[in-house]
Amino acid sequence: MGLGRNILLWASRNEWLKNWVPKKKFVQKAVKRFMPGETEEDVITATKELLRHNISTTLTHLGENMISLKEAEDNTNHYLNLLDKILNEKLDIEISLKLTQIGFDLSFDKTLEFFTKIALKAKEFNNNVFIDIEDTSYVDKTIGFYKKIKESYDNIGLCLQAYLYRTMDDLKSLVNIKPWIRLVKGAYKEHSSVAFPKLSKVNENYMLLSRFLLEQIKERGIRVAFGTHDLTIQEQVKKESEKIGLSKDKLEFQMLYGIKTDEQYRLASEGYKIRTLISYGEHWYPWYMRRLAERPANVGFVLKNIFNKSYN
Ligand SMILES: Cc1cc2nc3c(=O)[nH]c(=O)nc-3n(C[C@H](O)[C@H](O)[C@H](O)COP(=O)(O)OP(=O)(O)OC[C@H]3O[C@@H](n4cnc5c(N)ncnc54)[C@H](O)[C@@H]3O)c2cc1C
């Protein structure tokens, strides 16, 4: 793992930087590339634009590791209101959230209570909810939570990370409950005892898991979203799915807002399902640092904004 990536991941957890960086105008300007705005209205406007290209969206309200149950409840209410707004707009928008946003660090039962409210409302509104996956210390607990919620709700998906050695076993333990899976490479700094340190190995594992998941789409009709901007992997997934006779509309890709936008348009025009995940909200700092860490070259965008600021 590169030094630049390590520094950015360290910066994502640093309390002092967390307070200082978001106040800087040049950073706010650079963030616009990955986030259309801080409010629901901003992301609904961005969704309308993407829908013109046959791209649906998933919305996630930023904020992690809530410190009180009151904040967890406020966040729950935020998602409940968001579901109302989505229904009013009649747009194809799903939601995705981190369990720590709704109290996972404090109480499993309370989180289940809050999540159930969201799942129930989503179900009533014919909508779906995905659970983001956080660092490895949460994986067991999150999978346990997912199995529990799936007993009552079928409109729920779970994100899993290809960089973890354990993910194939996790998938095998889940297939009987017909999970919905979003497969990603993984965004956190993990120790080599739990995760592949080399990107080439992560990619290999991503494809191994993808082949398994493609078979599951065919055999059990489960929903799988391939969450990656890696065009080589996307091509391989397309080829593997053709090999086993899956039609294009059975294949779903998910990508992040502002990353490889032209490729997102292209996938949609080729007939694949594509959904863009848009993050929004005031608490964007740790999330933004992880985006920079995924591609330290992105720091160039921030620097360019400092430069522009000095000369505008
Ligand atoms: C829909 C979606 C949901 C996600 N949910 C989670 C989650 O719940 N938990 C979690 O741990 N991770 C999540 N991630 C992040 C994921 O784990 C990766 O960190 C991220 O997607 C980068 O990996 P990649 O597959 O795009 O491959 P990479 O090998 O990292 O990138 C492939 C290429 O894509 C481009 N690219 C990738 N990232 C960026 C970027 N930030 N800026 C500009 N270009 C970029 C670059 O050209 C790069 O060469 C999610 C990602 C997506 C797309």
Side-chain angles (χ1 to χ4, degrees), residues 184-201:
V184 300
K185 288 191 190 176
Y188 296 83
K189 179 170 161 39
E190 299 293 0
H191 193 266
S192 58
S193 58
V194 292
F196 294 101
K198 283 206 172 128
L199 185 59
S200 58
K201 291 285 170 200

Side-chain angles (χ1 to χ4, degrees), residues 33-34 132-133 159 161 163 182 184-188 199 227-230 254-256 259-260 277 291 294-295 298:
R33 177 174 176 233
F34 296 125
D132 289 350
I133 194 86
C159 185
Q161 298 149 325
Y163 65 12
R182 180 211 293 149
V184 300
K185 288 191 190 176
Y188 296 83
L199 185 59
T228 181
H229 315 96
D230 187 326
Q254 293 192 1
M255 291 165 82
L256 302 178
I259 302 182
K260 295 200 191 286
L277 189 144
R291 293 290 81 79
E294 280 159 7
R295 191 163 179 257
N298 285 339

Side-chain angles (χ1 to χ4, degrees), residues 79-196:
Y79 279 112
L80 294 173
N81 289 333
L82 179 62
L83 284 167
D84 282 327
K85 287 192 179 147
I86 293 172
L87 186 76
N88 286 341
E89 294 281 346
K90 297 189 177 55
L91 298 172
D92 183 358
I93 301 178
E94 295 185 344
I95 61 177
S96 191
L97 57 87
K98 290 186 169 49
L99 293 179
T100 52
Q101 285 182 278
I102 55 165
F104 215 36
D105 285 327
L106 304 166
S107 156
F108 187 96
D109 291 345
K110 268 285 173 195
T111 309
L112 193 61
E113 182 189 317
F114 290 147
F115 192 91
T116 300
K117 286 188 187 173
I118 299 171
L120 177 64
K121 189 157 192 172
K123 183 85 192 152
E124 278 170 15
F125 290 179
N126 207 13
N127 205 331
N128 306 317
V129 186
F130 266 81
I131 300 175
D132 289 350
I133 194 86
E134 302 179 61
D135 72 60
T136 188
S137 64
Y138 292 101
V139 173
D140 266 333
K141 227 170 117 181
T142 305
I143 292 175
F145 184 95
Y146 182 68
K147 286 180 177 165
K148 180 100 194 121
I149 197 83
K150 272 290 271 188
E151 287 169 9
S152 318
Y153 295 92
D154 58 1
N155 58 326
I156 313 297
L158 173 69
C159 185
L160 290 179
Q161 298 149 325
Y163 65 12
L164 295 183
Y165 304 134
R166 56 177 289 168
T167 299
M168 181 59 98
D169 291 338
D170 290 334
L171 282 178
K172 286 183 178 161
S173 83
L174 284 162
V175 284
N176 286 336
I177 60 166
K178 279 191 130 198
W180 288 357
I181 299 291
R182 180 211 293 149
L183 183 65
V184 300
K185 288 191 190 176
Y188 296 83
K189 179 170 161 39
E190 299 293 0
H191 193 266
S192 58
S193 58
V194 292
F196 294 101

Side-chain angles (χ1 to χ4, degrees), residues 20-35 38 284 288 302 305:
W20 182 78
V21 175
K23 296 195 178 87
K24 296 289 148 199
K25 279 271 177 308
F26 66 85
V27 180
Q28 291 170 6
K29 219 171 134 192
V31 167
K32 283 248 174 247
R33 177 174 176 233
F34 296 125
M35 187 176 87
E38 291 188 358
W284 44 260
Y288 182 61
V302 183
N305 277 302

